[in-house]
Amino acid sequence: AQSVTQLDSQVPVFEEAPVELRCNYSSSVSVYLFWYVQYPNQGLQLLLKYLSGSTLVKGINGFEAEFNKSQTSFHLRKPSVHISDTAEYFCAVSRAGGYQKVTFGTGTKLQVIP
Amino acid sequence: DVKVTQSSRYLVKRTGEKVFLECVQDMDHENMFWYRQDPGLGLRLIYFSYDVKMKEKGDIPEGYSVSREKKERFSLILESASTNQTSMYLCASTIFGPKQGVVQETQYFGPGTRLLVL
């Protein structure tokens, strides 16, 4: 079974500053990794995903994440945040290949301060 | 455009009532999921279905059941609602699965139903 840990439950950051949201996973097999974003009063939507290939993955809204197999991490970064990035971010993992159940982290609330 | 809809955004029910939460997707997806979302706990999988009339238990199925009579519709049933089932319920669907031969992985979520059980 796989698991995912988001150590930071809340991250406050000033507008236009860079941000990193941390995600570590645990699995004994190859994995797919995802970041989803949830804006207030909405469902989740996919931000980006790693399936294979390049370890640097670019997503929507200027976000990117880097898959680090040796450190079992998939941290999310943005060089300059905007007020509209205020949301909750979820890291998720599934076993690679075919259909597999997705396991979500507990979420990180990003609060962008004007 | 991809769409997953849930029958209600907000529901208030009383303890012991039978509660139905409906989810409909218009993407012809094989797989559908029900999660509950609670502060500090993230999303936890209740049930999922990879085909019509098929269902599998997720991580927290106790107190819930599901029904999938048609491909586009996946219902979550609380047989006898309790206060500890007060939560946000999220439905999702995805195309990936062993029958498809194509791995898409992305889950598409509905807007959620916030359920309060008094």
Side-chain angles (χ1 to χ4, degrees):
Chain A
Q2 67 268 2
S3 65
V4 60
T5 302
Q6 293 181 251
L7 289 171
D8 305 307
S9 59
Q10 294 191 54
V11 173
V13 62
F14 285 106
E15 193 173 15
E16 297 184 5
V19 70
E20 178 180 85
L21 305 184
R22 297 181 294 167
C23 172
N24 287 90
Y25 70 92
S26 173
S27 177
S28 58
V29 297
S30 296
V31 296
Y32 294 152
L33 292 156
F34 310 83
W35 276 99
Y36 284 84
V37 60
Q38 184 180 35
Y39 297 105
N41 298 315
Q42 293 185 28
L44 279 70
Q45 63 183 86
L46 183 72
L47 205 55
L48 50 79
K49 61 185 177 184
Y50 169 80
L51 306 180
S52 64
S54 173
T55 57
L56 183 62
V57 180
K58 293 191 183 297
I60 61 171
N61 301 336
F63 283 93
E64 64 180 33
E66 186 157 18
F67 170 56
N68 188 318
K69 189 174 181 180
S70 62
Q71 296 189 4
T72 60
S73 68
F74 191 56
H75 301 332
L76 182 69
R77 301 185 183 98
K78 187 170 183 178
S80 176
V81 296
H82 190 266
I83 291 289
S84 59
D85 294 322
T86 294
E88 190 159 18
Y89 294 79
F90 292 90
C91 184
V93 64
S94 69
R95 280 181 61 175
Y99 164 71
Q100 301 291 348
K101 189 182 78 170
V102 176
T103 300
F104 286 84
T106 53
T108 298
K109 288 185 178 177
L110 176 63
Q111 178 70 46
V112 180
I113 305 163
Chain B
D1 199 16
V2 164
K3 196 149 188 182
V4 179
T5 55
Q6 295 183 230
S7 51
S8 306
R9 292 300 304 270
Y10 302 94
L11 270 181
V12 180
K13 296 292 181 181
R14 295 209 174 271
T15 302
E17 278 192 79
K18 192 168 186 176
V19 181
F20 292 87
L21 303 183
E22 301 282 335
C23 175
V24 178
Q25 50 94 2
D26 66 358
M27 299 163 284
D28 200 35
H29 283 174
E30 295 282 342
N31 306 307
M32 297 186 74
F33 307 81
W34 275 107
Y35 296 91
R36 64 176 283 176
Q37 181 182 9
D38 300 287
L41 297 178
L43 275 72
R44 292 179 291 167
L45 182 64
I46 304 171
Y47 267 98
F48 62 99
S49 167
Y50 54 86
D51 203 350
V52 175
K53 297 193 186 294
M54 303 299 287
K55 60 184 180 184
E56 297 235 2
K57 293 180 180 179
D59 299 318
I60 52 164
E62 297 77 21
Y64 303 94
S65 62
V66 290
S67 172
R68 188 140 181 231
E69 296 297 319
K70 293 185 178 181
K71 189 176 186 180
E72 67 270 18
R73 188 180 299 269
F74 191 35
S75 303
L76 180 69
I77 304 153
L78 285 64
E79 298 291 342
S80 177
S82 63
T83 55
N84 63 13
Q85 291 179 310
T86 290
S87 186
M88 167 74 98
Y89 289 88
L90 291 165
C91 175
S93 74
T94 185
I95 197 171
F96 77 85
K99 292 173 62 178
Q100 291 290 331
V102 174
V103 181
Q104 294 291 330
E105 312 91 17
T106 302
Q107 296 205 358
Y108 295 89
F109 284 84
T113 295
R114 195 170 290 279
L115 173 66
L116 172 62
V117 182
L118 300 173

